[in-house]
Amino acid sequence: MSEVSETSGTSEKQILKRSDAIYIDPPSSSGSSNSSIYSRNSDNGGGVLGVFSGMWLNVNLMIGSGIYATPGTIMVLTQSGGMTLVLYILGFFYVMIGSFIYVELGSTISESGGEQIYFEKAFPKPKKMVAYIFSFISIILVKPLGIISISIAASKYTYYAIHSYDESILENINNLEFWKYRFIAFGIISMVTIYHLLSNKVAVWINQILAVIKVLTLLTVVIIGFTKITENPKRLSFNYLFSNARGIEYYKNYANSMLKVLFAYSGWNTLNYSLDEMHNSKKRLRISNPASVLIVGILYCLTILALIVSVPKEELFTSPETMSAKLGKKIGSEVAIAILIAISCFGAVGSGIWSNSRLIASVAKAGFIPIFSPVLRRFDERWFTPFNALIFQWCYLTIIIFLPLKNPYSVLVNTAQNTDIIVYFMCAIGLLVLRKTEPELHRPFRIDLSWVYFFILFSLAIFVGTFIPAPDTSNYIERFNYILIIIVIIFGLICWYLIYYRPRRNSKSTPPEMANVVMN
């Protein structure tokens, strides 16, 4: 690690408790020594995550509000149920390839932290700039916005389930008064944070139960929806599915639709943030990651098909945000579906809080958070939870959730997912860089490079599409949501220079946040 050279000029070492210290291997002249740095994790020790618990961790975050909230919006953008299904199938293949990319990175660099760790290894110069900027935008923007958007969806469906007697609630679910859903969302985040503070084993247990409930919920929707096929067989015809599909001039609509599809799939890389807590992660990651994507991808595609069969075309392209509630009404389980959607979102919030707290701890371990790094990276000695990182995250989420944004769900989804596309793209580039710079590094799993190139090109196609105005897009946020992303990236670059790079440029002394590093 580069921190070794920066701290080697110190004249003394600080002897600390094991729980407070970061252990760094001494530099070696042998070229193979890098592998020991890459592989330091719990492979030979304990860990709360196994193959199935790791798989369910991914599934729990993937199946959230996205599959229920985005299909109607996508159908409005594409004007075609068939194209909506095609986009979900494309999203499935894109995410599966991405999952294999992350399996190679995670099994090669088997440390918790996900992209922050991979960028440190692939792009170490100048002074870990890429890793710092990624960490900045993830902690400040992407991860919190994802958690908040899902918690808001959970609160709205909870409110709807409680007030199902009022038909106007269904049609105005996205126009509820500020306090009516913000405080419910705040309560959800607080409740999830509490049980994550108490024990990682309890959190994993709850997450697994919720993930199973989600899978069973989608299966129920699929089965009931498919019973409608005999009543409406024409809805499976090519003409019914694709007759009104929009043309290439609506490329931005398709790009935005794919962003929403990928938001529904988001969470497929959650396990990469917790590899230190997984038994034998080098071997088990290659099973858990693809298995979670396969389960969710099949369920999603079948759910979209069930939606197309169950809901008449004239209703598919109106009131898109309430599409899932309409589906519940069609199959005679309106309140039950709303409750199950709320539970599904609750579980996704749980996985999001788990993974983001681990990211915060990993970023603090890298010394990217001045002054607070020694505090935020610590895990509770009794429960093995990143206690301080969870408290920090809860405070920050509370601030965001009460910002006076109108209809925040759509804004948050577009902003978060646009940024995620950049991150996925850079990870694929990082894999190519590591293949070239570290050709002899042990890789328990290797993905064929042709798939990596496809992933990179597809990511570019989606990102470029967001810059192209659609003929009927008048909403300023929809047209220019990427401006917020650019501003945050520039601000992250400024912080990197002023907070991280400049203090280390000519310094041979130990940076303040690395004062409790113990050299092995």
Side-chain angles (χ1 to χ4, degrees), residues 256-272:
N256 279 338
S257 296
M258 184 54 68
L259 286 177
K260 291 174 172 58
V261 168
L262 295 181
F263 175 76
Y265 282 106
S266 63
W268 51 270
N269 57 341
T270 300
L271 186 53
N272 287 68

mmCIF file of all heavy atoms in Angstrom, residues 256-272:
data_model
loop_
_atom_site.group_PDB
_atom_site.id
_atom_site.type_symbol
_atom_site.label_atom_id
_atom_site.label_comp_id
_atom_site.label_asym_id
_atom_site.label_seq_id
_atom_site.Cartn_x
_atom_site.Cartn_y
_atom_site.Cartn_z
ATOM 1 N N ASN A 256 -32.777 6.796 -20.290
ATOM 2 C CA ASN A 256 -33.340 7.022 -18.963
ATOM 3 C C ASN A 256 -34.082 5.791 -18.459
ATOM 4 O O ASN A 256 -34.063 5.485 -17.261
ATOM 5 C CB ASN A 256 -34.285 8.223 -18.977
ATOM 6 C CG ASN A 256 -33.546 9.550 -18.884
ATOM 7 O OD1 ASN A 256 -32.413 9.594 -18.406
ATOM 8 N ND2 ASN A 256 -34.164 10.612 -19.343
ATOM 9 N N SER A 257 -34.735 5.093 -19.389
ATOM 10 C CA SER A 257 -35.427 3.854 -19.005
ATOM 11 C C SER A 257 -34.424 2.813 -18.512
ATOM 12 O O SER A 257 -34.675 2.111 -17.522
ATOM 13 C CB SER A 257 -36.209 3.298 -20.196
ATOM 14 O OG SER A 257 -37.245 4.179 -20.587
ATOM 15 N N MET A 258 -33.279 2.715 -19.202
ATOM 16 C CA MET A 258 -32.272 1.748 -18.777
ATOM 17 C C MET A 258 -31.693 2.121 -17.414
ATOM 18 O O MET A 258 -31.386 1.239 -16.596
ATOM 19 C CB MET A 258 -31.167 1.661 -19.824
ATOM 20 C CG MET A 258 -30.108 0.598 -19.519
ATOM 21 S SD MET A 258 -30.782 -1.074 -19.232
ATOM 22 C CE MET A 258 -31.380 -1.495 -20.862
ATOM 23 N N LEU A 259 -31.567 3.424 -17.142
ATOM 24 C CA LEU A 259 -31.120 3.842 -15.814
ATOM 25 C C LEU A 259 -32.087 3.351 -14.742
ATOM 26 O O LEU A 259 -31.674 2.893 -13.672
ATOM 27 C CB LEU A 259 -31.003 5.366 -15.745
ATOM 28 C CG LEU A 259 -29.816 6.018 -16.457
ATOM 29 C CD1 LEU A 259 -29.896 7.534 -16.340
ATOM 30 C CD2 LEU A 259 -28.495 5.513 -15.887
ATOM 31 N N LYS A 260 -33.372 3.438 -15.034
ATOM 32 C CA LYS A 260 -34.377 2.993 -14.064
ATOM 33 C C LYS A 260 -34.371 1.471 -13.928
ATOM 34 O O LYS A 260 -34.592 0.923 -12.840
ATOM 35 C CB LYS A 260 -35.753 3.512 -14.473
ATOM 36 C CG LYS A 260 -35.876 5.028 -14.314
ATOM 37 C CD LYS A 260 -37.184 5.561 -14.857
ATOM 38 C CE LYS A 260 -37.353 7.036 -14.502
ATOM 39 N NZ LYS A 260 -36.282 7.895 -14.991
ATOM 40 N N VAL A 261 -34.128 0.779 -15.040
ATOM 41 C CA VAL A 261 -33.997 -0.679 -14.979
ATOM 42 C C VAL A 261 -32.820 -1.062 -14.089
ATOM 43 O O VAL A 261 -32.930 -1.936 -13.225
ATOM 44 C CB VAL A 261 -33.820 -1.273 -16.392
ATOM 45 C CG1 VAL A 261 -33.391 -2.735 -16.317
ATOM 46 C CG2 VAL A 261 -35.118 -1.157 -17.192
ATOM 47 N N LEU A 262 -31.691 -0.396 -14.303
ATOM 48 C CA LEU A 262 -30.498 -0.705 -13.522
ATOM 49 C C LEU A 262 -30.671 -0.307 -12.064
ATOM 50 O O LEU A 262 -30.066 -0.913 -11.175
ATOM 51 C CB LEU A 262 -29.276 -0.023 -14.123
ATOM 52 C CG LEU A 262 -28.887 -0.508 -15.520
ATOM 53 C CD1 LEU A 262 -27.644 0.220 -16.016
ATOM 54 C CD2 LEU A 262 -28.640 -2.015 -15.525
ATOM 55 N N PHE A 263 -31.502 0.711 -11.808
ATOM 56 C CA PHE A 263 -31.808 1.035 -10.413
ATOM 57 C C PHE A 263 -32.572 -0.117 -9.762
ATOM 58 O O PHE A 263 -32.342 -0.451 -8.589
ATOM 59 C CB PHE A 263 -32.639 2.315 -10.333
ATOM 60 C CG PHE A 263 -33.097 2.631 -8.929
ATOM 61 C CD1 PHE A 263 -32.208 3.167 -8.005
ATOM 62 C CD2 PHE A 263 -34.397 2.389 -8.529
ATOM 63 C CE1 PHE A 263 -32.613 3.443 -6.704
ATOM 64 C CE2 PHE A 263 -34.807 2.665 -7.242
ATOM 65 C CZ PHE A 263 -33.916 3.192 -6.324
ATOM 66 N N ALA A 264 -33.477 -0.734 -10.523
ATOM 67 C CA ALA A 264 -34.209 -1.893 -9.989
ATOM 68 C C ALA A 264 -33.256 -3.043 -9.678
ATOM 69 O O ALA A 264 -33.482 -3.812 -8.735
ATOM 70 C CB ALA A 264 -35.274 -2.342 -10.990
ATOM 71 N N TYR A 265 -32.183 -3.161 -10.470
ATOM 72 C CA TYR A 265 -31.195 -4.227 -10.252
ATOM 73 C C TYR A 265 -30.090 -3.809 -9.271
ATOM 74 O O TYR A 265 -29.266 -4.650 -8.899
ATOM 75 C CB TYR A 265 -30.530 -4.613 -11.574
ATOM 76 C CG TYR A 265 -31.347 -5.508 -12.464
ATOM 77 C CD1 TYR A 265 -31.954 -5.023 -13.619
ATOM 78 C CD2 TYR A 265 -31.493 -6.863 -12.165
ATOM 79 C CE1 TYR A 265 -32.683 -5.857 -14.452
ATOM 80 C CE2 TYR A 265 -32.224 -7.704 -12.995
ATOM 81 C CZ TYR A 265 -32.821 -7.190 -14.141
ATOM 82 O OH TYR A 265 -33.547 -8.023 -14.959
ATOM 83 N N SER A 266 -30.034 -2.546 -8.889
ATOM 84 C CA SER A 266 -28.909 -2.072 -8.078
ATOM 85 C C SER A 266 -28.836 -2.829 -6.755
ATOM 86 O O SER A 266 -29.857 -3.145 -6.135
ATOM 87 C CB SER A 266 -29.029 -0.569 -7.810
ATOM 88 O OG SER A 266 -30.189 -0.279 -7.057
ATOM 89 N N GLY A 267 -27.609 -3.121 -6.353
ATOM 90 C CA GLY A 267 -27.375 -3.930 -5.161
ATOM 91 C C GLY A 267 -26.669 -5.226 -5.478
ATOM 92 O O GLY A 267 -26.264 -5.959 -4.581
ATOM 93 N N TRP A 268 -26.465 -5.505 -6.772
ATOM 94 C CA TRP A 268 -25.839 -6.757 -7.180
ATOM 95 C C TRP A 268 -24.366 -6.835 -6.753
ATOM 96 O O TRP A 268 -23.786 -7.923 -6.721
ATOM 97 C CB TRP A 268 -25.938 -6.930 -8.709
ATOM 98 C CG TRP A 268 -25.461 -5.766 -9.518
ATOM 99 C CD1 TRP A 268 -26.198 -4.703 -9.951
ATOM 100 C CD2 TRP A 268 -24.141 -5.545 -10.007
ATOM 101 N NE1 TRP A 268 -25.420 -3.838 -10.678
ATOM 102 C CE2 TRP A 268 -24.143 -4.322 -10.731
ATOM 103 C CE3 TRP A 268 -22.944 -6.259 -9.920
ATOM 104 C CZ2 TRP A 268 -23.019 -3.811 -11.345
ATOM 105 C CZ3 TRP A 268 -21.805 -5.736 -10.523
ATOM 106 C CH2 TRP A 268 -21.862 -4.533 -11.234
ATOM 107 N N ASN A 269 -23.772 -5.701 -6.390
ATOM 108 C CA ASN A 269 -22.372 -5.683 -5.953
ATOM 109 C C ASN A 269 -22.242 -5.432 -4.450
ATOM 110 O O ASN A 269 -21.160 -5.137 -3.955
ATOM 111 C CB ASN A 269 -21.590 -4.616 -6.722
ATOM 112 C CG ASN A 269 -22.202 -3.232 -6.567
ATOM 113 O OD1 ASN A 269 -23.364 -3.098 -6.198
ATOM 114 N ND2 ASN A 269 -21.433 -2.200 -6.844
ATOM 115 N N THR A 270 -23.335 -5.562 -3.704
ATOM 116 C CA THR A 270 -23.327 -5.270 -2.268
ATOM 117 C C THR A 270 -22.321 -6.122 -1.516
ATOM 118 O O THR A 270 -21.622 -5.644 -0.611
ATOM 119 C CB THR A 270 -24.731 -5.498 -1.675
ATOM 120 O OG1 THR A 270 -25.661 -4.638 -2.327
ATOM 121 C CG2 THR A 270 -24.751 -5.209 -0.178
ATOM 122 N N LEU A 271 -22.212 -7.394 -1.865
ATOM 123 C CA LEU A 271 -21.350 -8.323 -1.142
ATOM 124 C C LEU A 271 -19.879 -7.911 -1.200
ATOM 125 O O LEU A 271 -19.106 -8.198 -0.279
ATOM 126 C CB LEU A 271 -21.528 -9.738 -1.689
ATOM 127 C CG LEU A 271 -20.818 -10.881 -0.965
ATOM 128 C CD1 LEU A 271 -21.143 -10.890 0.519
ATOM 129 C CD2 LEU A 271 -21.197 -12.217 -1.597
ATOM 130 N N ASN A 272 -19.472 -7.216 -2.270
ATOM 131 C CA ASN A 272 -18.077 -6.800 -2.411
ATOM 132 C C ASN A 272 -17.644 -5.797 -1.347
ATOM 133 O O ASN A 272 -16.453 -5.599 -1.139
ATOM 134 C CB ASN A 272 -17.832 -6.211 -3.802
ATOM 135 C CG ASN A 272 -17.824 -7.270 -4.887
ATOM 136 O OD1 ASN A 272 -18.855 -7.871 -5.180
ATOM 137 N ND2 ASN A 272 -16.670 -7.512 -5.477
#
